[in-house]
Amino acid sequence: MNNNLYQYLLQLGDNALILGQRLCEWTGVAPELEIDLALSNIGLDLLGQANQWYEYAAELKGGDATPDTIAFLRDAHEYRNVQLVELPNGNFADTILRAVIFDTFNLLLHEALTQSSDQRIGAIAARAVKEIGYHARYCKNWTLRLGGGTEESHQKAQKALNDIWDYAFEALTPGPVDHWAKEAGIGPDLEQVKSKWEATLQQVFHQASLQIPKPGFVDRKAKSEGIHTEHLGYILAEMQFLQRAYPNLQW
Amino acid sequence: MQDIDVKSLETAFQDRIDQEIKIEPRDWMPEDYRKNLIRQISQHAHSEVVGMLPEKNWLTRAPTLKRKMALLAKIQDEGGHGLYLYSAAETLGVSREEMVRDLLSGKAKYASIFNYPALNWADMGVIGWLVDGAAIVNQVALQRTSYGPYSRAMIRICKEESFHQRQGYDICLQLARGSDEQKRMLQDAINRWWWPVLMMFGPHDSASAHSAQSMKWKIKRVSNDGLRQKFVDQTVPQLEFLKMTAPDPQLKWNEERGHYDFGEIDWDEFWNVVKGVGPCNKRRLAVRNKAHDDGAWVREAANAYAQKNN
């Protein structure tokens, strides 16, 4: 098995799965019914994407591996998502700011992946990129509304941005697997993605009258070394409960 | 308006109903017909929205990706049903805000079934199979209801509900073919949901406050007891196929009647849950209220932003 490719697929799949799982927590309790439906839509897209990345990963791994064994039967240190997506939903501003930072990256990443030298990755990305385009637009529009809405919403949005900004860079900081992917023509040069990402976000935040905090860089190593926040363990405990409590069954 | 005019309007109205011509939002209608419909449609909308909560409870613990996606899509459909039912009710001159306020204050009712807890994964199967199954039996009858917007909403909703029911039954089938633990989960879920599901059809016809007038106006097309019997008759073979049992020793086929006989519902429990004293009434309403209160600043921000950018 090409372990680099496998790890790269886990990065893609795990980001989608964990963010999708987080969005499931909003179901039934969003600020408005329309928002509830939109967040469910985004969650569904992400879970579907995770499933496709895992299908590919499971084929590479061979044996008894399936998308479900990959999703449900690893321990926290084996997940390759960035820390940003495992942060708690917080209030609606926390969720939206987390989303606008991540989705802006995710859209640029998937646009680049449509050109991947790996045709399977290119095909999955080509489908996903349309969905992620919608996610990015949705979160951008809400960032503008919250930033430019009321004083309270502005404060909440600014606080959310301040709180999570130092989680923003992990996705854009290349680890060994990203370097491999770039060399193999499978994935993009993250330095290039980063400059577009910064330009896009600067524009959005400017339009939303939000100040970008000083880049207090923290070297986060979830996607490269599996060093996560304390939150991931709880996410997995909940998500994996049935598979762990009643192993080897069909559901 | 003169009494005589109202009388002739009422006669004309009832004539249209009797001829199976749908009543549309701009048509004249008796005030009680309007009120009755607002009550029923808004109650139905609230049920869809509150009904998202028991299933949401297992969404983050769904055992496979496929089940998680299907459950999320189902809950999303329910939210969508809530939206178009609120819209249907709005055609009768009531705003969604007013309806939601009545739900949150406890003034408006929603289906009592959602005041029961979802305790294990099999509940996701049984809710789809039995709760949505019972809802479909009700709603198929409502497709022919006399009020146009409600009838059309029901036609659309029924299509999605049948899909949910199949999905629920598929979860049950998988568990029924599974390990002893999975069979135990399924039987446990059936035992807990069986009677509350039969209660979904409402009181006996003789004790139903709104039934007679609703039947005359064809808001309601089949009686509570008639629908309940229909549901039991179609469900028992599905139950037997799963090799599961119902918690009702009196449930048996009656050759003479050509229907299943079944035991008497615990009406004290029924009325208690309706009046707010059920296992989850307080919790469900508290969750809805908290979501509404927590979301207030978001809705205000959206309004303020829209006004500034108009």
Side-chain angles (χ1 to χ4, degrees):
Chain A
M1 177 178 82
N2 180 337
N3 194 50
N4 281 317
L5 179 55
Y6 181 71
Q7 295 294 326
Y8 196 67
L9 293 170
L10 290 186
Q11 287 187 18
L12 293 164
D14 291 347
N15 277 338
L17 174 66
I18 300 300
L19 187 56
Q21 174 77 2
R22 276 297 191 210
L23 291 181
C24 285
E25 296 172 19
W26 271 113
T27 300
V29 294
E32 198 163 37
L33 204 42
E34 285 83 351
I35 298 175
D36 218 298
L37 301 186
L39 295 181
S40 292
N41 249 337
I42 298 175
L44 271 172
D45 288 343
L46 290 168
L47 294 173
Q49 291 163 19
N51 193 50
Q52 290 182 346
W53 296 122
Y54 292 154
E55 274 174 3
Y56 189 10
E59 285 170 31
L60 282 180
K61 195 164 190 220
D64 296 335
T66 66
D68 284 332
T69 63
I70 294 176
F72 292 91
L73 297 179
R74 283 176 296 152
D75 202 348
H77 68 278
E78 297 169 288
Y79 281 75
R80 288 294 174 268
N81 58 284
V82 293
Q83 291 186 359
L84 179 66
V85 296
E86 66 202 39
L87 295 179
N89 287 339
N91 65 36
F92 187 65
D94 296 320
T95 294
I96 287 298
L97 269 293
R98 181 185 68 194
V100 80
I101 291 168
F102 180 75
D103 293 347
T104 303
F105 155 75
N106 210 28
L107 180 59
L108 292 166
L109 174 67
H110 282 73
E111 280 170 356
L113 288 177
T114 60
Q115 308 299 317
S116 176
S117 62
D118 183 305
Q119 285 188 354
R120 177 87 174 261
I121 288 180
I124 297 172
R127 272 196 300 272
V129 78
K130 292 174 199 148
E131 298 171 344
I132 298 168
Y134 162 75
H135 307 171
R137 270 198 312 283
Y138 184 80
C139 297
K140 178 191 159 187
N141 289 338
W142 267 109
T143 303
L144 299 182
R145 284 189 200 109
L146 297 182
T150 61
E151 203 179 315
E152 184 183 6
S153 70
H154 179 85
Q155 279 174 7
K156 285 193 155 82
Q158 184 64 58
K159 180 170 189 315
L161 181 55
N162 296 347
D163 287 348
I164 60 174
W165 186 243
D166 69 52
Y167 290 89
F169 299 94
E170 184 189 356
L172 297 128
T173 309
V177 173
D178 298 307
H179 285 301
W180 166 84
K182 181 188 146 195
E183 293 308 316
I186 282 177
D189 178 351
L190 284 183
E191 293 298 337
Q192 283 179 17
V193 171
K194 187 177 176 185
S195 60
K196 288 187 201 164
W197 172 82
E198 276 175 331
T200 308
L201 282 187
Q202 267 167 16
Q203 201 200 351
V204 173
F205 291 146
H206 175 73
Q207 220 181 323
S209 315
L210 296 173
Q211 301 289 326
I212 297 180
K214 291 248 155 50
F217 181 79
V218 179
D219 192 11
R220 302 191 182 275
K221 290 181 172 163
K223 73 166 178 180
S224 56
E225 294 177 28
I227 299 171
H228 288 272
T229 65
E230 292 172 343
H231 305 294
L232 185 65
Y234 290 95
I235 294 176
L236 299 184
E238 188 171 343
M239 188 176 79
Q240 299 181 343
F241 158 66
L242 283 166
Q243 290 280 359
R244 299 294 190 183
Y246 305 97
N248 303 316
L249 299 179
Q250 298 297 310
W251 297 93
Chain B
M1 203 182 294
Q2 300 277 321
D3 283 356
I4 189 89
D5 292 343
V6 173
K7 269 268 172 286
S8 65
L9 284 167
E10 277 175 0
T11 309
F13 174 82
Q14 190 63 49
D15 279 351
R16 290 192 62 169
I17 303 257
D18 294 343
Q19 290 170 53
E20 300 287 335
I21 299 169
K22 295 276 180 253
I23 306 301
E24 296 298 335
R26 287 179 187 175
D27 296 340
W28 184 89
M29 60 187 83
E31 197 45 33
D32 281 350
Y33 176 87
R34 184 192 305 275
K35 278 190 192 151
N36 204 329
L37 267 173
I38 289 175
R39 181 186 56 80
Q40 186 170 332
I41 301 175
S42 64
Q43 205 168 304
H44 193 161
H46 300 327
S47 302
E48 297 281 0
V49 173
V50 178
M52 296 164 81
L53 299 177
E55 291 174 310
K56 173 245 170 62
N57 189 38
W58 278 90
L59 183 55
T60 50
R61 287 178 290 172
T64 68
L65 289 170
K66 185 185 130 200
R67 294 292 187 203
K68 191 189 290 288
M69 287 189 272
L71 187 58
L72 179 53
K74 175 181 194 286
I75 301 173
Q76 189 193 31
D77 282 349
E78 283 156 7
H81 297 170
L83 269 187
Y84 36 93
L85 284 163
Y86 282 128
S87 302
E90 280 183 320
T91 63
L92 292 158
V94 59
S95 73
R96 187 165 133 195
E97 288 71 27
E98 291 170 77
M99 290 184 270
V100 169
R101 203 174 50 220
D102 286 348
L103 168 70
L104 296 177
S105 71
K107 186 179 162 204
K109 301 287 180 215
Y110 54 89
S112 282
I113 192 76
F114 301 119
N115 289 318
Y116 288 85
L119 299 180
N120 78 50
W121 170 250
D123 290 42
M124 297 304 100
V126 171
I127 288 175
W129 167 43
L130 294 182
V131 176
D132 288 346
I136 292 168
V137 169
N138 263 324
Q139 289 165 5
V140 163
L142 284 172
Q143 289 179 352
R144 296 185 299 124
T145 193
S146 58
Y147 188 58
Y150 192 27
S151 158
R152 290 188 286 274
M154 280 301 116
I155 290 168
R156 195 166 155 192
I157 288 174
C158 276
K159 284 183 191 148
E160 293 180 354
E161 294 285 4
S162 341
F163 181 70
H164 298 166
Q165 197 201 11
R166 279 203 296 278
Q167 196 172 287
Y169 196 66
D170 187 67
I171 292 176
C172 295
L173 266 177
Q174 189 71 54
L175 296 171
R177 290 176 186 145
S179 71
D180 289 348
E181 291 145 329
Q182 288 175 311
K183 288 175 188 158
R184 182 196 55 77
M185 283 179 203
L186 179 57
Q187 185 63 63
D188 169 54
I190 293 169
N191 291 348
R192 283 180 288 107
W193 289 96
W194 182 262
W195 287 111
V197 164
L198 294 192
M199 294 176 197
M200 285 174 70
F201 298 96
H204 283 310
D205 299 337
S206 52
S208 177
H210 305 287
S211 272
Q213 184 62 65
S214 289
M215 294 283 278
K216 186 174 173 229
W217 279 333
K218 297 188 181 175
I219 293 175
K220 201 164 167 169
R221 304 294 309 236
V222 186
S223 76
N224 293 352
D225 288 325
L227 290 170
R228 187 161 24 235
Q229 182 70 59
K230 188 172 178 225
F231 173 76
V232 171
D233 288 348
Q234 76 182 39
T235 302
V236 174
Q238 297 165 358
L239 180 72
E240 288 168 349
F241 189 75
L242 294 172
K243 298 194 171 61
M244 294 286 140
T245 58
D248 179 1
Q250 294 180 59
L251 181 70
K252 64 169 183 296
W253 179 251
N254 182 325
E255 193 65 51
E256 209 172 300
R257 291 203 308 126
H259 291 292
Y260 283 91
D261 290 340
F262 52 96
E264 190 60 37
I265 285 170
D266 179 348
W267 294 108
D268 287 341
E269 178 182 330
F270 173 86
W271 288 114
N272 271 334
V273 183
V274 169
K275 286 171 189 156
V277 199
C280 300
N281 297 55
K282 287 206 182 87
R283 178 169 146 76
R284 298 286 186 243
L285 261 196
V287 169
R288 282 307 322 153
N289 270 292
K290 183 174 189 308
H292 188 79
D293 295 346
D294 288 352
W297 68 271
V298 178
R299 297 188 298 274
E300 281 161 19
N303 288 337
Y305 183 81
Q307 274 172 12
K308 284 183 206 169
N309 291 277
N310 254 343

